Every structure is written in structure tokens, then in C-alpha cells.
């Protein structure tokens, strides 16, 4: 079995949902050496998350942002954790809802994503900064 791992730093992005599939693939060219295996992408932050969804129509990503802002509003007076601004606690909640990693099967050296699927960085902070991601692939 082969195991590869790469740590990458994604440039700061504005709040919203951003495709990072190409960033992941460029960071781990050894993926091509795996015929059958698994790819895990893990974000090392508590106010940003990862998910897989449509990679074609950018309005999907806009609607994700709209939905999560409605579902987890800022300035809720019941939040205790508000030291870092009104977007801080909602960012933690959104990250908990979506999760910190995605796992994708590898088939013939490529992630076995569906035709319209891509990996999203979900930036929940107004000024989240650079984001650290660990990419691990294993298989035969």
C-alpha cells in the first residue's frame, strides 16, 4: 500500500463557498500512482469547513451562503462566545454542521467524484485568513 500526505496553505478567501478541487489535486500529484484507494482532505480550523457539492453553477455556492446565514444568524443575544466578533460563533456552528473533512474514493489515479461534484472550502468568517489543509491519499 502507498500512503502520501501533503500539508497546504490555502490563500485567504472572502466569506462564502469556494471550489478547491484543483488546489487539492495540484498539491498531491502522487495521487496518479494509486489505482484504488481513498483520499481524505482535512481542514485544521474551527471556523471553516469542507463539503462536496456542485462544481458547475456558481449560484449553488451563493445559495449555500444565503442558507447558512439564515440558519445560523449573527448577533444572536444567546451566544456566549462573541470575543472575536459577531461572525465568530456562527462560524463555529456552521463548521460543526458541515464538518472538517471529506473522504473520496480514488479510482485510476483520480478522485471518483461525480460529473458535477467538487470540493468546497466553506469560509464562514468575514476575515478568516489563510487556511491549513492536510491531504492524505492511500491505496494500491
Amino acid at each position: 500500500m502507498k500512503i502520501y500526505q501533503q500539508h497546504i496553505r490555502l490563500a485567504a478567501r472572502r466569506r462564502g463557498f469556494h471550489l478547491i478541487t484543483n488546489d487539492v489535486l495540484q498539491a498531491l500529484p502522487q495521487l496518479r500512482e494509486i489505482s484504488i484507494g481513498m483520499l481524505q482532505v482535512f481542514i485544521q480550523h474551527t471556523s471553516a469547513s469542507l463539503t462536496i457539492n456542485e462544481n458547475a453553477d456558481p449560484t449553488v455556492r451563493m445559495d449555500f451562503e444565503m442558507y447558512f446565514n439564515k440558519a445560523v444568524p449573527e448577533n444572536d443575544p444567546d451566544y456566549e462566545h462573541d470575543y472575536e466578533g459577531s461572525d465568530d460563533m456562527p462560524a463555529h456552528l456552521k463548521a460543526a454542521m458541515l464538518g472538517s473533512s471529506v473522504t473520496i474514493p480514488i479510482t485510476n489515479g483520480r478522485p471518483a467524484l461525480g460529473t458535477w461534484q467538487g470540493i468546497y472550502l466553506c469560509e464562514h468568517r468575514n476575515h478568516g485568513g489563510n487556511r491549513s489543509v492536510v491531504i492524505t491519499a492511500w491505496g494500491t
Side-chain angles (χ1 to χ4, degrees), residues 45-49 68 89-100 124:
H45 299 275
T46 61
S47 58
S49 55
F68 277 95
M89 191 60 215
H92 293 308
L93 293 169
K94 293 171 188 177
M97 292 167 73
L98 287 164
S100 57
H124 305 303

Side-chain angles (χ1 to χ4, degrees), residues 39-127:
L39 171 67
Q40 182 191 45
V41 185
F42 175 79
I43 190 162
Q44 296 180 302
H45 299 275
T46 61
S47 58
S49 55
L50 300 171
T51 195
I52 295 173
N53 217 289
E54 182 172 326
N55 66 358
D57 185 350
T59 62
V60 171
R61 295 187 298 278
M62 293 167 49
D63 287 346
F64 261 85
E65 178 67 10
M66 175 274 305
Y67 171 80
F68 277 95
N69 288 336
K70 284 183 178 181
V72 186
E74 293 183 15
N75 299 308
D76 187 320
D78 292 331
Y79 294 147
E80 296 287 333
H81 180 76
D82 60 1
Y83 309 115
E84 296 178 43
S86 62
D87 67 332
D88 188 33
M89 191 60 215
H92 293 308
L93 293 169
K94 293 171 188 177
M97 292 167 73
L98 287 164
S100 57
S101 69
V102 294
T103 305
I104 307 159
I106 299 168
T107 304
N108 297 322
R110 301 269 312 153
L113 291 166
T115 302
W116 305 112
Q117 287 183 319
I119 304 168
Y120 288 12
L121 164 67
C122 313
E123 178 55 69
H124 305 303
R125 296 297 308 267
N126 292 325
H127 305 286

